Amino acid sequence: MTKVTTLGEFIVERQADFPFAKGELSRLLSAIRLAAKVVNREVNKAGLVDDILGASGSENIQGETQQKLDVYANQQMINALRAQQEVCGIGSEENEDFIAFENGEAIWGKYVVLMDPLDGSSNIDVNVSIGTIFSIYRRKSKPGTVAELQDFLQPGVDLVAAGYIIYGSSTMLVFSTGHGVNGFTLDTSIGVFCLSHPNMRVPEDGKLYSINEGNYKQFPEGVKKYIKYCQEEDAETNRPYTSRYIGSLVADLHRNMIKGGVYIYPSTGANPNGKLRLMYENIPLSFIVEQAGGKASDGKNRILEIQPKDLHQRTPLFIGSKNMVEMAERYMEEYSETAAGREE
Ligand code: P6P
């Protein structure tokens, strides 16, 4: 019988890999792991209980209707991380401003966490996979003081860890601390995340392209040309590709991580800088994909090198198999007056 490695054992075995003092990462990840299990329990019964389905009646900073499960997931992550005392503050896609923990030991926490507690939540009611995305940074402000905005507005190159949880046909936690990417599947019979996808690598090439072609008319010319390239017949370059778009970023990204592919959310008329948030979606997922040998940009600039200006800043996202992203970037360069959409 092959040895099963749990997430806890993995962290202990690989402690030397982690740029954390002993035990800090395991406490941080155990908070995220706990929250993931609690959210998973609610996600899995969402179809059965009215009080967790559907909209909460409130809106988040983006003016998007918050689904009850978004609000629930947000609170579970905040509670779990607050309890761990390693984190001095949290930035969440669901909250207008960051949350600085001021209780007791928390002000000595060396890290901050940014998260999208439940991405793709509009899919909850139709039983499509959704996800949680998180980033971990070292704080820049002085320990013993409350967290400051500078602790959160850090570029992706300064990340110490990032990951996502996908609530799908199985629930998986995929994360990296800068030493490759590993995937853990929740064994619900014992409530433990077990190493199922060691050292994940994004295939350099793929046959899948993911984009909401309903927005075709509003796309930059370079994106239109790349879509046409994907649809042309060419036996040598294995085209036409297949279009797969779930409308749940974590699900589309996870499939492309495993099978190879490219996901593009470019600038559109409705969203001149793209729809996805730099801090809560694009940076953590770009960190993961780069650690697995893939590539991520805004169509020109490497996502991880973008200096954030605002907690809820949006950027276009081209992410996935290296060769596919680079082909799309070539079309953007050749055909678009501004590679990252219209001027800001
Ligand atoms: P559209 C979900 O709202 C999300 O943030 C991502 O998970 C998803 O990929 C994208 O937006 C879908 O957006 O405009 O294609 O419906």
Side-chain angles (χ1 to χ4, degrees):
M1 177 179 164
T2 51
K3 179 182 178 313
V4 170
T5 302
T6 68
L7 176 56
E9 289 165 340
F10 179 85
I11 291 168
V12 171
E13 285 168 14
R14 302 280 293 268
Q15 186 66 42
D17 278 357
F18 302 139
F20 295 77
K22 197 155 180 57
E24 287 174 338
L25 177 69
S26 48
R27 281 193 293 279
L28 259 173
L29 279 177
S30 69
I32 292 167
R33 180 174 55 190
L34 171 65
K37 291 179 188 174
V38 174
V39 171
N40 178 65
R41 181 190 63 204
E42 296 308 315
V43 166
N44 283 344
K45 68 182 187 187
L48 299 173
V49 286
D50 286 343
D51 65 347
I52 207 79
L53 258 185
S56 65
S58 59
E59 284 191 344
N60 63 16
I61 180 193
Q62 329 291 341
E64 293 165 340
T65 302
Q66 284 184 310
Q67 300 288 333
K68 288 177 183 171
L69 216 44
D70 298 71
V71 176
Y72 179 80
N74 197 41
Q75 201 51 57
Q76 290 305 315
M77 289 288 282
I78 293 170
N79 294 345
L81 288 164
R82 189 198 303 268
Q84 285 299 330
Q85 312 272 335
E86 297 297 346
V87 171
C88 62
I90 288 185
S92 169
E93 184 189 297
E94 300 301 332
N95 295 76
E96 183 159 358
D97 206 348
F98 64 87
I99 300 165
F101 293 155
E102 301 186 24
N103 56 311
E105 287 304 300
I107 58 170
W108 295 94
K110 295 184 201 157
Y111 305 99
V112 295
V113 169
L114 288 103
M115 65 178 180
D116 181 353
L118 210 57
D119 179 79
S121 53
S122 53
N123 291 300
I124 293 169
D125 295 354
V126 295
N127 209 5
V128 163
S129 300
I130 50 184
T132 296
I133 309 169
F134 63 90
S135 309
I136 303 174
Y137 289 95
R138 273 197 186 74
R139 73 183 297 173
K140 294 178 78 169
S141 58
K142 188 166 170 291
T145 64
V146 295
E148 300 169 8
L149 184 59
Q150 63 166 322
D151 295 319
F152 299 91
L153 292 185
Q154 299 189 54
V157 288
D158 291 342
L159 272 175
V160 289
Y164 61 84
I165 297 123
I166 178 168
Y167 309 96
S169 48
S170 64
T171 293
M172 278 191 69
L173 169 63
V174 176
F175 82 96
S176 173
T177 60
H179 295 268
V181 180
N182 291 282
F184 298 80
T185 299
L186 181 62
D187 179 335
T188 50
S189 67
I190 51 173
V192 174
F193 280 101
C194 301
L195 181 62
S196 54
H197 296 66
N199 192 26
M200 292 175 73
R201 303 296 292 169
V202 184
E204 280 208 338
D205 265 312
K207 281 203 67 175
L208 300 171
Y209 71 101
S210 310
I211 188 168
N212 183 344
E213 296 191 49
N215 296 323
Y216 182 84
K217 274 182 66 178
Q218 307 168 36
F219 287 157
E221 194 56 27
V223 170
K224 291 180 179 177
K225 294 291 187 189
Y226 179 67
I227 290 173
K228 291 306 162 205
Y229 166 83
C230 293
Q231 295 169 343
E232 280 164 359
E233 298 270 347
D234 184 312
E236 190 188 325
T237 54
N238 214 1
R239 285 177 290 128
Y241 294 155
T242 298
S243 172
R244 284 284 183 276
Y245 192 71
I246 300 171
S248 184
L249 172 58
V250 173
D252 277 316
L253 180 108
H254 184 70
R255 181 204 53 241
N256 291 352
M257 282 273 289
I258 292 176
K259 291 183 178 285
V262 62
Y263 172 100
I264 299 177
Y265 206 107
S267 64
T268 64
N271 293 298
N273 291 312
K275 171 183 180 183
L276 303 177
R277 287 79 176 188
L278 176 62
M279 299 312 299
Y280 305 113
E281 293 156 320
N282 298 355
I283 284 179
L285 296 180
S286 299
F287 179 76
I288 292 282
V289 163
E290 282 200 6
Q291 281 292 315
K295 190 163 185 182
S297 74
D298 62 6
K300 176 182 179 184
N301 309 293
R302 184 185 177 212
I303 290 288
L304 297 188
E305 291 176 353
I306 295 175
Q307 174 55 52
K309 300 188 191 77
D310 174 88
L311 274 178
H312 295 279
Q313 175 176 350
R314 300 170 195 256
T315 70
L317 181 65
F318 293 58
I319 189 169
S321 294
K322 183 173 176 294
N323 295 348
M324 298 181 82
V325 171
E326 288 177 350
M327 181 61 80
E329 288 172 342
R330 280 196 286 276
Y331 277 101
M332 286 296 286
E333 187 174 7
E334 188 175 346
Y335 291 97
S336 296
E337 63 278 65
T338 56
R342 296 181 186 78
E343 293 300 351
E344 287 186 8

